Amino acid sequence: AQMNGAVILNYTRVTGLIRSEDDRTTGVRVEDTLTGDTHDIAAHAVINATGPWSDRTRALRGKEAPSRLRPTKGIHIVVDVERLKVKNAVVCFHPEDGRVLFAIPWGQRTYIGTTDTDFQGDPADVGADGSDVRYLLDAANHYFPEANLIPEDVISTWAGVRPLIAEESEGNESSVSREHEIRIDSDGLITIAGGKLTTYRRMAAEVVDKALGLLMLMGHSPSKISPARTDTTPLPGADGWPRDDDPTPVIQKAMEVGQGKISEATARILVENYGTRALQLAAMAAAEPSMAELLVPGRPEIMAQVRFAMRTGWISAWPM
């Protein structure tokens, strides 16, 4: 988004919605959480894409509005590959309730998940509890009895809240639709909720096109509005990626750019995490020896990844 001209405001909280005399949403009031300063930002269209906080954001209008969400919690657990070794992603069904679960290889770790339980708390405080962990361990041990996993085998966990759309007929959590919805309130506030991370680019394109349609209804010139390119524009790191999806030439190029300062294992992990942007990190390692230092002895991650994350916000997803 930033590369295409968007202004990004990190550490900024929306505290209110600005309304016009004819009761339309025409912007947001924001607070800089580092300084406490507040600012008003005017906009022709406002999109509420705040996930499990969507209902809370809509409530900033000061109007009573029925809840549209049925949030559910999902957690994953991480174990060492030596405790549960799978060569490919394994799909299985929990022996108790039939929920679909996955065991996924990821470097020196194996991920197991996910759960699906109703959640009523603050999405910012979501976390795995003992019952969540036991639920996943029971399934893993059912399909991989030789592993005999115990809670002490769990290296780490992570959890999130799904902003699922509430349905008129209440069923169990896993039966709630994962489809997304885009709705425009009477004051013009556009809200997108539901969906899954795997379809986020399609969702983004649809909500941008919805906003552009609203702008044209408001009388804005069509000549100044172009359809969304969100779902077709290559992501950072995808530019120049081999058409056959073979990372080998990019890994070789990264090693060349690294000028002998990075190993093949480091080059591979950079390419797998950053795509063609791995060349930028390899160049950092070549230019400054400290950037080629290993973060953890015996692991291929390097200091350049820390600097890159600080400068761009792009953090390696490879498990430590």
Side-chain angles (χ1 to χ4, degrees):
Q2 187 178 48
M3 290 168 60
N4 282 277
V7 176
I8 310 298
L9 295 180
N10 291 327
Y11 304 101
T12 305
R13 178 187 296 116
V14 173
T15 59
L17 301 177
I18 301 172
R19 312 184 66 78
S20 64
E21 293 182 357
D22 58 354
D23 205 29
R24 293 193 60 79
T25 298
T26 57
V28 294
R29 181 164 292 111
V30 301
E31 175 190 5
D32 185 325
T33 60
L34 299 180
T35 66
D37 294 340
T38 59
H39 306 276
D40 287 350
I41 302 175
H44 294 299
V46 177
I47 297 174
N48 170 21
T50 54
W53 291 271
S54 295
D55 283 338
R56 191 180 304 180
T57 302
R58 292 176 62 237
L60 293 175
R61 300 178 304 157
K63 295 182 175 182
E64 289 292 332
S67 174
R68 290 180 178 170
L69 297 184
R70 181 179 175 179
T72 68
K73 178 176 72 169
I75 79 127
H76 289 76
I77 60 175
V78 182
V79 300
D80 190 271
V81 69
E82 295 304 323
R83 294 295 293 117
L84 180 59
K85 193 169 188 177
V86 292
K87 293 183 178 180
N88 302 287
V90 177
V91 183
C92 52
F93 298 89
H94 199 283
E96 295 178 8
D97 56 17
R99 170 165 173 72
V100 176
L101 301 172
F102 297 87
I104 302 175
W106 199 260
Q108 298 303 306
R109 307 287 184 249
T110 300
Y111 296 165
I112 306 168
T114 177
T115 60
D116 198 13
T117 53
D118 284 317
F119 183 79
Q120 300 300 325
D122 184 347
D125 294 330
V126 65
D129 58 33
S131 62
D132 295 325
V133 172
R134 287 192 295 274
Y135 175 87
L136 295 179
L137 290 177
D138 287 346
N141 287 328
H142 176 80
Y143 288 98
F144 306 98
E146 70 283 356
N148 192 28
L149 296 173
I150 59 176
E152 287 71 22
D153 290 317
V154 178
I155 296 172
S156 63
T157 67
W158 79 87
V161 178
R162 304 177 185 89
L164 304 182
I165 303 297
E167 298 176 335
E168 294 183 3
S169 58
E170 292 293 334
N172 65 47
E173 298 92 335
S174 294
S175 69
V176 181
S177 172
R178 267 55 180 169
E179 293 298 318
H180 63 276
E181 289 187 6
I182 302 172
R183 297 185 182 180
I184 303 178
D185 285 313
S186 58
D187 59 1
L189 178 65
I190 304 169
T191 297
I192 182 168
K196 291 174 65 65
L197 182 62
T198 45
T199 57
Y200 82 96
R201 300 199 79 189
R202 181 66 252 171
M203 292 166 61
E206 289 181 13
V207 76
V208 168
D209 282 339
K210 181 72 72 173
L212 297 180
L214 179 64
L215 292 179
M216 286 190 282
L217 286 175
M218 294 166 58
H220 292 274
S221 172
S223 64
K224 297 182 179 180
I225 298 175
S226 59
R229 304 186 304 276
T230 308
D231 55 340
T232 56
T233 302
L235 288 172
D239 284 320
W241 187 258
R243 284 188 169 275
D244 60 2
D245 205 30
D246 180 5
T248 303
V250 187
I251 294 171
Q252 293 174 342
K253 183 65 175 178
M255 294 182 66
E256 293 174 11
V257 172
Q259 298 178 12
K261 302 294 178 55
I262 62 174
S263 66
E264 182 178 354
T266 293
R268 179 176 297 278
I269 207 170
L270 293 180
V271 170
E272 289 176 345
N273 278 278
Y274 305 94
T276 54
R277 294 208 295 180
L279 304 182
Q280 298 178 35
L281 285 94
M284 291 166 59
E288 192 173 337
S290 63
M291 291 296 100
E293 293 179 2
L294 299 179
L295 288 175
V296 179
R299 291 288 306 174
E301 292 84 3
I302 58 176
M303 281 299 299
Q305 294 175 254
V306 176
R307 177 175 291 179
F308 193 75
M310 292 171 63
R311 290 179 174 177
T312 68
W314 187 276
I315 300 175
S316 169
W318 195 267
M320 299 294 289

